[in-house]
């Protein structure tokens, strides 16, 4: 049996306890409020991040981990006796995080094999891919098998969300084609979806309740859904979406995750999303 280490980055929004339980190492991105730099989920919990955002006059900025951060984690895996590492990262179309992981992998070449996988996803979409890879690793799959499972999982992962505002996406330069929504912000609740690793606009919804219904319908429209997660940025009404999902996905099967600083910086407060995987 092989012994493969799973590594990801903090944009995955995996609950800390769940990541620890599965033996997943999470490399933090940096969050900057002006001149102050903090490490995601080490120095700044999601709750602390949203409190800071509410009080800060400036939009925070995010920065990818350094190649050295990944190199250190890969070397530690080697010291701990792992046969290889599969590192799964935030979409390369949204961040340089994957590039840093690739550079870190090159630095340990000849010591421990490292395969870097582009999730082409965000938040718990990435988290679900990582969880599937971790299950395969725990079952004894080798490096190439775990890598193939992660790549296949990425193809089956869907992420949708509704935002209270597109202002954060606009300021952060991550809006892509979603800029087509900007002209009617006052009358809609924007829907976004992740397609091929980029943020794209979904259909316009007139109210938040309709936006929640639309999100739930994306899950209900697929009768064969493996995993479901609901992600939110301090949204007081997140339980409404969970209730809409209940007829198809019981509450105990839904992973509820706090949207952290990495994606929250761009998505803005009170955003709510759903991530799920369709069966292959």
């Amino acid at each position: 049996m092989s012994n493969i280490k799973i590594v990801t980055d903090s944009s995955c929004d995996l609950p800390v306890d769940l990541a620890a339980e599965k033996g997943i190492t999470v490399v933090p991105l940096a969050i900057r409020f002006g001149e102050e730099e903090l490490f995601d989920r080490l120095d700044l919990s999601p709750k602390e991040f949203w409190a800071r955002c509410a009080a800060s006059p400036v939009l925070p900025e995010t920065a990818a981990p350094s190649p050295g951060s990944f190199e250190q984690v890969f070397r530690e895996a080697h010291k701990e006796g792992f046969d290889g590492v599969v590192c799964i990262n935030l979409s390369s179309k949204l961040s340089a995080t994957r590039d840093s992981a690739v550079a870190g992998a090159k630095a340990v070449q000849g010591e421990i094999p490292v395969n870097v996988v582009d999730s082409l996803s965000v938040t718990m979409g990435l988290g679900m891919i990582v969880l599937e890879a971790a299950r395969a690793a725990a079952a004894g799959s080798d490096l190439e098998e775990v890598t193939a499972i992660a790549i296949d999982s990425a193809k089956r992962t869907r992420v949708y969300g509704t935002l209270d505002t597109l202002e954060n996406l606009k300021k952060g330069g991550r809006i892509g084609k979603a800029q087509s929504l900007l002209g009617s912000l006052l009358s809609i609740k924007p829907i976004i979806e992740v397609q091929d690793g980029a943020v794209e606009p979904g259909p316009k919804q007139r109210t938040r309740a309709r936006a929640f219904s639309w999100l739930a319908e994306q899950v209900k429209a697929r009768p064969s859904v493996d995993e479901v997660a609901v992600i939110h940025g301090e949204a007081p009404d997140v339980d409404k979406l969970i209730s809409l999902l209940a007829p198809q996905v019981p509450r105990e099967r839904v992973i509820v995750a706090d949207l952290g600083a990495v994606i929250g910086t761009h998505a803005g407060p009170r955003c709510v999303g759903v991530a799920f995987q369709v069966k292959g």
Side-chain angles (χ1 to χ4, degrees):
M1 287 179 63
S2 294
N3 188 19
I4 304 302
K5 179 69 176 178
I6 305 300
V7 176
T8 187
D9 59 73
S10 63
S11 71
C12 68
D13 289 330
L14 277 170
V16 173
D17 291 347
L18 183 57
E21 176 191 334
K22 301 299 182 182
I24 298 162
T25 295
V26 180
V27 177
L29 277 80
I31 312 299
R32 298 191 183 111
F33 283 88
E35 296 299 315
E36 185 179 15
E37 182 173 271
L38 302 164
F39 288 103
D40 185 31
R41 295 180 185 263
L42 293 181
D43 304 324
L44 193 67
S45 70
K47 184 173 287 293
E48 291 167 338
F49 166 73
W50 291 114
R52 273 179 172 260
C53 283
S56 175
V58 297
L59 187 68
E61 297 178 345
T62 59
S66 67
S69 299
F70 284 104
E71 179 184 345
Q72 180 181 352
V73 167
F74 300 157
R75 290 193 191 281
E76 288 173 358
H78 176 57
K79 290 177 182 177
E80 292 169 9
F82 285 94
D83 301 317
V85 177
V86 175
C87 182
I88 310 165
N89 296 111
L90 170 64
S91 172
S92 62
K93 296 182 181 180
L94 299 174
S95 170
T97 298
R98 178 184 173 276
D99 293 339
S100 289
V102 169
K106 287 180 179 177
V108 300
Q109 204 165 18
E111 298 177 45
I112 184 171
V114 179
N115 285 354
V116 178
V117 176
D118 187 348
S119 73
L120 293 175
S121 194
V122 300
T123 185
M124 274 299 297
L126 168 58
M128 287 180 172
I129 299 164
V130 170
L131 287 174
E132 191 160 354
R135 285 192 289 267
S141 297
D142 65 23
L143 181 66
E144 298 309 321
E145 289 170 337
V146 175
T147 301
I149 286 168
I151 292 170
D152 175 72
S153 179
K155 294 175 182 176
R156 297 184 290 103
T157 300
R158 309 286 183 268
V159 178
Y160 301 92
T162 183
L163 314 180
D164 253 14
T165 174
L166 281 174
E167 197 60 29
N168 289 50
L169 272 178
K170 181 184 177 184
K171 289 179 180 177
R174 298 304 201 278
I175 199 165
K177 293 180 183 177
Q179 62 186 342
S180 62
L181 294 172
L182 285 176
S184 49
L185 277 179
L186 293 178
S187 61
I188 66 168
K189 289 300 177 185
I191 293 285
I192 58 169
E193 56 186 292
V194 178
Q195 292 183 357
D196 298 322
V199 177
E200 305 288 358
K204 300 175 182 179
Q205 303 298 318
R206 292 294 174 183
T207 66
R208 193 162 168 91
R210 288 185 180 181
F212 279 16
S213 294
W214 188 90
L215 293 178
E217 284 301 321
Q218 304 319 298
V219 179
K220 294 175 183 177
R222 279 86 168 181
S224 55
V225 171
D226 270 340
E227 302 271 1
V228 178
V230 170
I231 320 102
H232 71 104
E234 292 287 284
D237 52 355
V238 65
D239 283 341
K240 293 180 180 178
L241 177 57
I242 296 171
S243 296
L244 290 172
L245 293 170
Q248 183 178 352
V249 188
R251 173 64 181 81
E252 60 271 17
R253 280 188 53 209
V254 177
I255 300 173
V256 180
D258 294 317
L259 192 71
V262 177
I263 306 302
T265 290
H266 307 291
R270 296 173 300 282
C271 51
V272 176
V274 62
F276 59 93
Q277 290 184 320
V278 297
K279 292 183 179 179

